[in-house]
Amino acid sequence: MSEKKELKVKSIKNGTVIDHIRQNRAANVLSMLNLPDDETPVMVAINVESSNMGKKDIVKIEGRELSGEEVDKLALLTPLASVNIIRDYEIVNKFNVHLTDEVIDVVKCTNPNCISNSNEPIHDKFYVQEKEPITLRCHYCERTMDYEDIESQF
Ligand SMILES: [Zn+2]
């Protein structure tokens, strides 16, 4: 089966298909994207068979392309996701999200006393201590954050 058929991109004229979302995380991805709203057509597939992931989720969003910030957040929620940008029914760009070793200005430290939560003009900065399950460690106070700490901020 061709990849195009598998993704059913025919169903989207312009927009984004997020594939290889970790099973049961589609709702977290939608929440991060502030979806659903009252206008954007969104299709969600949950617990779809995947040849290399066991099961996966897929989200298709009509009329919207992800910002760089949204892609950074996506990498924290589901680090194996792939993003397909669709224009006029064709995939014009396809890339895998990339979880870098340092996460800057994407999430905030959960420690209220952390200097990054003061009025100092400094960047939020974390090190990826574990990728799965995800654990971030604050550059400033060394507080660690898990998936729930991250997801709840989106
Ligand atoms: Zn901190």
Side-chain angles (χ1 to χ4, degrees):
M1 185 189 294
S2 78
E3 194 167 23
K4 279 190 176 183
K5 275 186 180 163
E6 189 185 331
L7 291 173
K8 293 191 175 70
V9 293
K10 287 278 181 222
S11 60
I12 284 198
K13 184 180 182 193
N14 295 295
T16 303
V17 175
I18 307 172
D19 197 7
H20 301 105
I21 297 170
R22 193 174 151 176
Q23 184 180 15
N24 284 321
R25 291 201 174 162
N28 298 140
V29 171
L30 289 175
S31 173
M32 181 271 287
L33 296 170
N34 296 311
L35 293 170
D37 59 19
D38 291 334
E39 294 187 355
T40 310
V42 176
M43 284 160 278
V44 180
I46 292 173
N47 293 337
V48 179
E49 294 289 340
S50 166
S51 53
N52 58 349
M53 295 176 71
K55 287 194 164 56
K56 66 179 180 180
D57 292 356
I58 304 171
V59 169
K60 305 174 194 177
I61 308 159
E62 180 74 54
R64 179 158 161 193
E65 297 180 8
L66 303 188
S67 69
E69 183 186 356
E70 289 167 338
V71 171
D72 289 345
K73 290 178 176 177
L74 188 62
L76 291 173
L77 292 178
T78 177
L80 298 178
S82 59
V83 177
N84 301 267
I85 305 298
I86 314 295
R87 290 182 194 153
D88 203 16
Y89 301 109
E90 297 289 333
I91 297 175
V92 296
N93 190 10
K94 176 175 182 157
F95 56 91
N96 297 321
V97 298
H98 182 58
L99 187 55
T100 51
D101 293 336
E102 294 185 3
V103 177
I104 296 169
D105 288 338
V106 182
V107 286
K108 296 227 164 265
C109 185
T110 53
N111 174 7
N113 297 320
C114 179
I115 191 169
S116 68
N117 287 320
S118 71
N119 289 325
E120 298 294 326
I122 56 177
H123 294 282
D124 300 303
K125 182 174 176 179
F126 294 85
Y127 302 105
V128 178
Q129 190 165 296
E130 295 283 342
K131 288 198 171 183
E132 194 65 65
I134 191 160
T135 308
L136 299 182
R137 182 168 47 84
C138 180
H139 167 70
Y140 305 101
C141 74
E142 308 218 320
R143 168 83 58 108
T144 56
M145 304 210 301
D146 63 15
Y147 180 80
E148 296 216 330
D149 294 324
I150 297 163
E151 189 274 326
S152 64
Q153 296 190 27
F154 299 160

